[in-house]
Amino acid sequence: MDIRVGDVLEMKKQHPCGAKQFNVLRSGMDFRLKCVGCGREFLIPRSKAEKNIKKVIRENTDD
C-alpha cells in the first residue's frame, strides 16, 4: 500500500475522541499518526494500520 507523509487516513475504527481521520507524520515499518480531532500522536505497526484503513486522502496529487 502506497502511503506517504502528509496523507490523511480515514480509518474503520475511531479514536477515543471520536475522530476517524489521522495525519501521517512518518511511514516505514510503522506509522506515526496524528489524530485530526485531538492532536494526539502515536505509533502503530504498518500491518495493523493497513488492515484498518478505509480511505486515503491525498493532499498533493502531482506524482
Side-chain angles (χ1 to χ4, degrees):
M1 195 172 249
D2 182 33
I3 298 179
R4 302 179 198 155
V5 174
D7 289 349
V8 178
L9 304 178
E10 186 173 322
M11 302 296 227
K12 293 177 185 173
K13 295 182 179 179
Q14 63 186 13
H15 193 246
C17 73
K20 286 190 172 188
Q21 294 187 338
F22 301 89
N23 289 324
V24 178
L25 301 177
R26 182 176 93 89
S27 66
M29 282 299 291
D30 47 54
F31 292 125
R32 178 172 291 280
L33 301 177
K34 182 176 181 182
C35 178
V36 172
C38 64
R40 182 109 166 152
E41 292 183 15
F42 56 95
L43 281 170
I44 185 171
R46 178 180 274 272
S47 58
K48 188 173 180 183
E50 286 182 347
K51 287 180 191 175
N52 291 321
I53 293 172
K54 186 187 238 183
K55 181 170 43 169
V56 178
I57 304 165
R58 206 167 295 255
E59 297 290 327
N60 200 358
T61 57
D62 58 340
D63 290 341

